[in-house]
């Protein structure tokens, strides 16, 4: 099954074109033209979403669960066509896209199951105490309620799992919030076919057409700005660059009615290799790190870009093993020409920083990425805070420290992270315990003896962290806890049972 995009926006159940266009830039295969959205079209989509909310936001959980499952079914029905155009546009391997499609449908079905259990409602009841002295207490009930239309920005590096029907969209729809997606220009055709799947599910479930819209924008920032500033939008989900996310965050904060901006922005995901583990299996850790670092051309937000080790022969063996493994990695196609150019700029920034030593260099051009490995002392790291900025791609930096105290100083110097990793053995317990309070303040997820690439979609996952990893340290963009971003608590005092929400009676 081959899919040929028609290049239009999906606005409240209608495919709408018109106006200027942009052309996709696929890694291979044909390019296609797509309409560039307008401020007027943003208003149409958001107004329809607000109209849909009056029904969808108060719909039974069973109806929303059926919708989420239907979306998953419609995506699977288009599996081959989604994989084909997704691979053309992104350059990602077929197997990666098949796996990502499974993650996308899996998280839709997970949210369907989650809302049927109803735990997310956090229902609380304080019964009336009419005889309490000196004053009686009224009956008070509490429940989480949806907040209204949500804007979602598609991500460049996950054309399925973090884009049109990705985690943000799934969580918002599960909560009862209509969604307007701004498609990412790196994969507009993939966004279009997934939007078709969502709309087919909407029709099958008999839902209001405003419950979901997709607007393409190319590189026109006006569309995204109009979306986050629209007075009917109540929250924004975003995965992307620090600069772009911060600009949108500031727009959300500057609105007459400020709204939450849930941005997942950037992270270097440092690893700390503790002495006993380093001595026992430093070579294995180095080889495993190389695999994680270069997976998918390093285009993961959880890519472990920094390794912190105590200087000595064991550290040298770790460096040698990582270098040898990375040297075997050939050029990989990056998601866009712009991302490839940014990777080379990041490489040059790191390479030109005082004290940085070259361990492995390579040559990459055009849309390709090849691995780079650098080394720096703890003193030079602490003196150059720019070394803690993310380089999106397969670039690793080894920080060699004098001792455990300087390792702790490196940990304290970190900005907010999505993840921090400890490689440790039993004899490393004391040092690990001293690091844990630091790392849990720095990251949303702390892991041991593994690599952070690969984010499990489950109840206990946190994919977020202190700024600049994300703009809201109390939220996650992966896992069932992410539904809380699109809910708010409401208390009901002495409300007659007949007019209470069904789930609170």
């Amino acid at each position: 099954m081959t899919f040929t995009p028609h290049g239009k926006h999906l606005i409240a159940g209608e495919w709408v074109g018109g106006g200027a266009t942009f052309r996709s830039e696929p890694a291979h295969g044909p390019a296609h033209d797509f309409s560039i959205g307008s401020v007027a079209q943003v208003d149409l989509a958001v107004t329809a979403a607000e109209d849909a909310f009056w029904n969808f936001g108060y719909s039974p959980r069973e109806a929303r669960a059926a919708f989420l499952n239907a979306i998953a079914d419609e995506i699977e029905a288009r599996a081959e066509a989604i994989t084909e155009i997704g691979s053309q546009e992104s350059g990602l391997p077929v197997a990666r896209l098949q796996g990502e499609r499974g993650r996308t449908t899996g998280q839709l079905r997970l949210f369907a199951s989650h809302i049927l259990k109803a735990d997310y409602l956090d229902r609380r009841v304080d019964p009336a105490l009419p005889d309490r002295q000196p004053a009686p207490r009224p009956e008070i009930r509490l429940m989480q309620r949806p907040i209204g239309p949500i804007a979602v920005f598609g991500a460049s590096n996950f054309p399925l799992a973090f884009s049109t029907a990705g985690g943000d969209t799934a969580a918002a729809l599960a909560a009862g919030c209509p969604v307007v997606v701004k498609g990412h220009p790196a994969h507009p055709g993939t966004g279009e076919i997934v939007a078709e799947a969502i709309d087919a599910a909407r029709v099958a479930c008999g839902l209001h057409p405003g419950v979901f819209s997709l607007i393409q924008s190319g590189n026109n920032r006006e569309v995204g700005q109009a979306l986050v500033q629209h007075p009917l939008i109540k929250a924004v989900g975003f995965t992307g660059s620090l600069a772009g996310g911060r600009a949108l965050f500031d727009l959300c904060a500057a609105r007459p009615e400020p709204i939450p901006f849930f941005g997942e922005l950037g992270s270097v995901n440092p690893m700390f290799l503790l002495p006993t583990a380093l001595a026992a299996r430093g070579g294995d850790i180095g080889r495993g790190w190389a695999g994680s670092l270069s997976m998918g051309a390093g285009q993961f937000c959880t890519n472990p870009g920094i390794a912190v080790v105590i200087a000595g022969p064991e550290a040298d063996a770790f460096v040698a093993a990582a270098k040898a493994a990375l040297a075997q990695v050939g050029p990989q196609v990056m998601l866009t020409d712009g991302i490839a150019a940014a990777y080379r700029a990041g490489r040059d920034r790191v390479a030109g920083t005082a004290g940085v030593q070259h361990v492995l260099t390579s040559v990459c051009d055009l849309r390709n990425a090849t691995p780079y490995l650098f080394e720096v002392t703890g003193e030079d790291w602490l003196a150059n805070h720019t070394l803690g900025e993310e380089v999106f791609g397969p670039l690793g930096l080894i920080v060699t420290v004098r001792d455990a105290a300087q390792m702790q100083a490196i940990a304290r110097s970190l900005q907010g992270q999505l993840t921090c990793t400890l490689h440790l053995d039993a004899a490393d317990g004391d040092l690990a315990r001293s690091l844990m309070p630091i790392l849990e303040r720095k990251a949303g997820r702390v892991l041991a003896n593994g690599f952070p690439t690969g984010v499990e979609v489950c109840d206990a996952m946190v994919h977020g962290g202190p700024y600049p990893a994300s703009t809201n340290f109390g939220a996650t963009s992966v896992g069932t806890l992410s539904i809380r971003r699109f809910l708010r608590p409401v208390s009901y005092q002495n409300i007659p049972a007949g007019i209470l929400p069904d789930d609170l009676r």
Side-chain angles (χ1 to χ4, degrees):
M1 177 181 177
T2 297
F3 172 73
T4 301
H6 46 66
K8 297 179 180 180
H9 318 287
L10 175 64
I11 300 178
E14 300 291 335
W15 289 99
V16 179
T21 63
F22 71 98
R23 173 153 284 209
S24 64
E25 298 179 353
H28 58 85
H32 302 281
D33 292 326
F34 295 85
S35 294
I36 296 174
S38 66
V39 173
Q41 288 170 330
V42 168
D43 181 62
L44 287 173
V46 177
T47 300
E50 172 70 10
D51 190 40
F53 180 69
W54 293 110
N55 178 269
F56 187 67
Y58 302 90
S59 60
R61 289 178 283 112
E62 293 78 7
R64 300 199 304 277
F67 181 36
L68 293 167
N69 283 321
I71 295 171
D73 291 342
E74 293 289 349
I75 289 173
E76 291 294 357
R78 296 162 174 77
E80 292 183 7
I82 289 172
T83 299
E84 181 183 42
I85 193 163
S87 178
Q88 288 175 354
E89 290 185 325
S90 68
L92 294 171
V94 167
R96 154 71 192 276
L97 283 166
Q98 291 171 337
E100 191 182 329
R101 187 185 71 247
R103 171 175 169 165
T104 304
T105 56
Q107 61 195 10
L108 286 161
R109 293 189 171 109
L110 176 65
F111 273 109
S113 174
H114 183 64
I115 61 175
L116 289 177
K117 295 174 185 175
D119 293 344
Y120 79 99
L121 294 171
D122 192 18
R123 292 175 287 196
R124 306 180 185 200
V125 178
D126 287 304
L129 299 175
D131 299 324
R132 190 183 68 175
Q133 295 298 328
R137 183 180 76 186
E139 178 193 77
I140 301 176
R141 296 174 179 243
L142 177 148
M143 187 174 71
Q144 301 289 333
R145 301 298 282 160
I147 61 175
I150 306 300
V152 171
F153 285 68
S156 65
N157 58 334
F158 281 88
L160 300 174
F162 278 86
S163 290
T164 309
D168 289 346
T169 298
L173 294 176
C177 298
V179 173
V180 179
V181 170
K182 189 194 86 68
H184 198 285
H187 41 76
T190 310
E192 184 181 302
I193 190 173
V194 173
E196 285 191 356
I198 297 172
D199 197 54
R202 177 197 64 78
V203 171
C205 293
L207 299 178
H208 188 291
V211 76
F212 175 85
S213 293
L214 168 73
I215 300 179
Q216 308 279 17
S217 66
N219 291 314
N220 180 8
R221 295 181 180 179
E222 187 178 58
V223 172
Q225 292 171 351
L227 190 53
V228 302
Q229 291 181 304
H230 197 289
L232 295 177
I233 289 293
K234 297 304 179 184
V236 178
F238 174 88
T239 299
S241 69
L242 175 58
R246 183 54 197 254
L248 293 173
F249 173 85
D250 290 343
L251 287 177
C252 288
R255 289 171 34 137
E257 178 201 357
I259 59 172
F261 178 83
F262 298 105
E264 191 262 278
L265 306 181
S267 184
V268 295
N269 305 295
M271 306 188 312
F272 294 83
L273 283 65
L274 306 194
T276 305
L278 183 63
R281 47 194 172 86
D284 290 340
I285 297 172
R287 287 182 285 273
W289 182 41
S292 181
L293 191 66
S294 59
M295 181 187 300
Q299 298 169 116
F300 291 93
C301 45
T302 53
N303 195 36
I306 306 292
V308 184
V309 297
I310 296 176
E314 293 85 1
D316 295 339
F318 162 75
V319 173
K323 176 182 178 180
L326 286 172
Q328 303 303 311
V329 178
Q332 299 179 75
V333 177
M334 300 200 84
L335 293 159
T336 68
D337 291 329
I339 289 173
Y343 174 60
R344 292 191 293 271
R347 170 204 62 191
D348 295 342
R349 172 177 56 79
V350 173
T353 301
V356 171
Q357 304 295 316
H358 295 233
V359 177
L360 174 70
T361 59
S362 55
V363 176
C364 61
D365 58 10
L366 302 177
R367 196 162 163 171
N368 295 318
T370 50
Y372 290 83
L373 190 59
F374 301 96
E375 189 171 355
V376 70
T377 66
E379 289 84 1
D380 285 324
W381 164 278
L382 292 169
N384 294 282
H385 293 292
T386 60
L387 292 175
E389 296 175 5
E390 181 184 31
V391 178
F392 196 61
L395 182 148
L397 177 62
I398 301 159
V399 183
T400 55
V401 298
R402 294 189 309 269
D403 50 26
Q406 192 172 57
M407 181 175 280
Q408 292 169 353
I410 297 295
R412 290 192 185 95
S413 75
L414 293 168
Q415 293 183 299
Q417 304 292 326
L418 294 171
T419 74
C420 288
T421 301
L422 288 169
H423 289 277
L424 73 158
D425 282 351
D428 295 311
D430 288 344
L431 178 54
R433 278 188 290 272
S434 74
L435 285 167
M436 279 296 292
I438 306 171
L439 301 187
E440 70 178 27
R441 288 190 69 186
K442 298 293 183 178
R445 175 164 57 116
V446 182
L447 58 151
N449 296 330
F451 300 96
T453 40
V455 181
E456 191 68 29
V457 182
C458 61
D459 292 329
M461 177 54 65
V462 171
H463 189 62
Y467 185 84
S470 60
T471 55
N472 189 311
F473 58 77
T476 174
S477 62
V478 177
T480 55
L481 187 65
S482 66
I483 196 173
R484 290 192 180 183
R485 296 173 298 166
F486 309 123
L487 299 165
R488 66 180 181 88
V490 177
S491 286
Y492 302 83
Q493 183 170 322
N494 281 342
I495 299 297
I499 62 172
L500 279 170
D502 289 345
D503 281 324
L504 200 52
R505 293 178 185 174

